[in-house]
Amino acid sequence: MRRKLAAGNWKMNGLMQTLAEVETLHTAHPAPRCDIVVCPPATLMCKMAEICAPMAIEVGAQDCHENEAGAHTGDISAPMIADTGARYVILGHSERRAAYGESDALVCAKTRAVWAAGLTAIVCIGETSKERDAGNTLDIVGRQLAGSVPDGACGSNTVIAYEPVWAIGTGKTPSLAKIAEVHNFIRSRLTNRCAADGDAIRILYGGSMTPRNVEKITAVTNVDGGLVGGASLKAADFGAIVATLGK
Ligand code: PEP
């Protein structure tokens, strides 16, 4: 039985005062019936981890470098993230794949670094609208999954987020049938490769998830929660998603 996960990606949003949102979230949902992780910008991670330590809210980073330390100006490493008290790291988000040319091989190296630091990787995969229109969704998702996740993935070190690129921040979502097709495909790839461990890995849906559509989307087989961007910024919206996932 996979416990559902609500993962919030704040992206490049949030100042110190925004940390009040996690306190509001905790007050409304002190004992949530799903797991919660909030991934703020790096500037807020330390403070958020401190605030969330007594709460049922984990903290995550939005990226990390594949090396442990060294001459990499502007980057942060997985051991540094672990040092803040954060437990998760989003990797291979489509915005990073597009803006920084992150390849599957690089995401794979970053995933290894995250595991070595004792953290859980949330590995993002998903097709562009052009790839979808060409009928290549499963090819793309299969290739990204194989290339971005090293051998040794299991339920405690890895979460997969299926995020169609065209659904992120657009208000558009795939049909429930399409979400089911892709999530079932990812599940079968995971179990073929990792046997029982593959069955324990949570597969999140991401892309314009809101309090309005979360119930229908997460009722789909093999959807184990959501990776939520815009709707994770306000405690009221994210809390509504948390409440639905805990049903
Ligand atoms: C995301 O960027 O991971 C995401 C899912 O964004 P949004 O929910 O805003 O579409």
Side-chain angles (χ1 to χ4, degrees):
M1 184 62 180
R2 296 178 297 269
R3 190 169 152 92
K4 292 238 182 332
L5 172 63
N9 175 12
W10 283 12
K11 310 192 187 190
M12 198 173 72
N13 297 292
L15 302 173
M16 284 294 167
Q17 68 202 42
T18 322
L19 290 169
E21 295 297 327
V22 288
E23 289 172 315
T24 309
L25 181 66
H26 168 69
T27 304
H29 303 277
R33 294 178 58 199
C34 67
D35 291 343
I36 303 176
V37 54
V38 179
C39 304
T43 48
L44 299 182
M45 216 161 34
C46 247
K47 189 79 186 151
M48 188 184 282
E50 205 179 298
I51 292 170
C52 292
M55 303 175 182
I57 300 174
E58 297 286 358
V59 176
Q62 299 174 14
D63 180 44
C64 74
H65 197 275
E66 67 275 24
N67 292 344
E68 271 184 33
H72 303 288
T73 304
D75 280 312
I76 57 172
S77 72
M80 290 171 179
I81 292 164
D83 195 39
T84 69
R87 307 292 326 144
Y88 288 79
V89 187
I90 296 171
L91 294 174
H93 191 282
S94 61
E95 287 158 11
R96 294 203 62 85
R97 289 181 187 261
Y100 301 99
E102 291 199 2
S103 64
D104 292 335
L106 180 60
V107 177
C108 196
K110 291 183 176 195
T111 304
R112 278 198 197 91
V114 163
W115 291 354
L119 303 174
T120 299
I122 302 176
V123 179
C124 301
I125 55 178
E127 81 287 359
T128 62
S129 57
K130 201 167 155 204
E131 290 161 343
R132 177 198 57 168
D133 293 346
N136 291 335
T137 297
L138 296 185
D139 284 348
I140 296 296
V141 165
R143 198 194 63 213
Q144 290 180 333
L145 186 67
S148 305
V149 179
D151 288 338
C154 65
S156 60
N157 67 16
T158 302
V159 173
I160 303 298
Y162 168 56
E163 299 207 299
V165 178
W166 53 272
I168 294 177
T170 59
K172 294 183 199 159
T173 54
S175 66
L176 297 178
K178 197 71 202 171
I179 293 174
E181 182 191 20
V182 180
H183 279 244
N184 290 339
F185 170 78
I186 294 170
R187 175 69 61 213
S188 75
R189 285 290 170 102
L190 289 173
T191 50
N192 283 346
R193 189 168 164 198
C194 317
D197 284 333
D199 204 40
I201 296 172
R202 290 181 283 195
I203 307 172
L204 309 184
Y205 168 79
S208 297
M209 184 177 270
T210 66
R212 274 188 304 284
N213 62 23
V214 59
E215 182 142 27
K216 283 193 172 141
I217 292 175
T218 54
V220 173
T221 322
N222 282 313
V223 176
D224 302 312
L227 179 54
V228 185
S232 72
L233 290 169
K234 289 280 167 235
D237 289 341
F238 198 48
I241 290 172
V242 164
T244 302
L245 287 174
K247 277 186 188 167

